[in-house]
Amino acid sequence: MKKSPIIVLVAIAMFAASATIANAHVGVGDTGGFAHGFWHPIGGIDHILAMVMVGLFAAQLGGRAMWLVPAAFVGVMAWGGVVGFSGLPLPFVELGIGLSIVVFGAAVAFGLKPVVAAAMGLVGFFALFHGFAHGAEMPDSVAGLAYGAGFVIATALLHAAGLGLGLLAASGAGPRGETLIRAAGALTAVAGVAIVSGVI
């Protein structure tokens, strides 16, 4: 049982590595319907890393933060999707997404434990950029509602994966599990720097 967190961590890493590397995705690809909305966050390693880190961050905080922090991200992201769909401008979208990976990864790596409201504000700020990227591709049709539902559900599932991994590591491997989670955060932050700098 003590190896379970390692197995889950490796599985998530393999899943992330198999995803298409993409930055922000604005204006890229076919965007109609639930399936495309669902695969949009999962099809880019930038989104995957950020969403899973939000779940891990929430798990480290514990208590009501475990649902409030991911909920804040999803709620603001949905609002950002509306902004993106409306055609209103938002500067530095790609940079915001890249920096979210750095910040969330660093928060997990250092085991930061701000008050819940501050954690919600932090993830909410970056959620705006992720939501805008999704919304900018949302079709102007009934299918657009399905597309929006798809990316919201996919995001929630990625948060749940991170949350589950964090709880599993904490309960099944003790201090070693926490070390693994912090190492995952550090690697994610490094990947975020590489994305921001254009290396990947």
Side-chain angles (χ1 to χ4, degrees):
M1 292 296 291
K2 290 185 178 180
K3 292 185 179 179
S4 295
I6 298 173
I7 294 170
V8 175
L9 185 60
V10 170
I12 288 179
M14 290 175 63
F15 176 71
S18 68
T20 302
I21 295 175
N23 289 320
H25 311 290
V26 177
V28 177
D30 188 5
T31 57
F34 179 86
H36 291 293
F38 184 87
W39 285 108
H40 189 257
I42 296 175
I45 194 170
D46 47 1
H47 291 304
I48 291 173
L49 291 174
M51 305 312 159
V52 172
M53 284 300 115
V54 168
L56 286 174
F57 183 41
Q60 285 181 319
L61 292 173
R64 59 197 187 115
M66 290 192 293
W67 65 272
L68 284 174
V69 169
F73 190 100
V74 172
V76 177
M77 183 196 68
W79 181 72
V82 173
V83 174
F85 176 66
S86 71
L88 293 173
L90 180 67
F92 309 116
V93 173
E94 292 185 17
L95 180 61
I97 290 174
L99 288 177
S100 73
I101 302 168
V102 178
V103 171
F104 297 158
V108 170
F110 290 108
L112 300 183
K113 295 194 175 181
V115 297
V116 175
M120 292 171 67
L122 178 67
V123 301
F125 173 76
F126 288 108
L128 180 62
F129 297 104
H130 285 269
F132 186 92
H134 298 315
E137 291 188 8
M138 188 183 298
D140 187 15
S141 66
V142 174
L145 296 175
Y147 177 87
F151 78 69
V152 165
I153 290 171
T155 296
L157 289 175
L158 288 169
H159 289 335
L163 182 61
L165 177 60
L167 294 175
L168 182 62
S171 64
R176 185 181 178 191
E178 179 64 19
T179 299
L180 285 171
I181 294 303
R182 289 194 179 202
L187 289 172
T188 297
V190 171
V193 171
I195 289 172
V196 170
S197 63
V199 174
I200 60 173

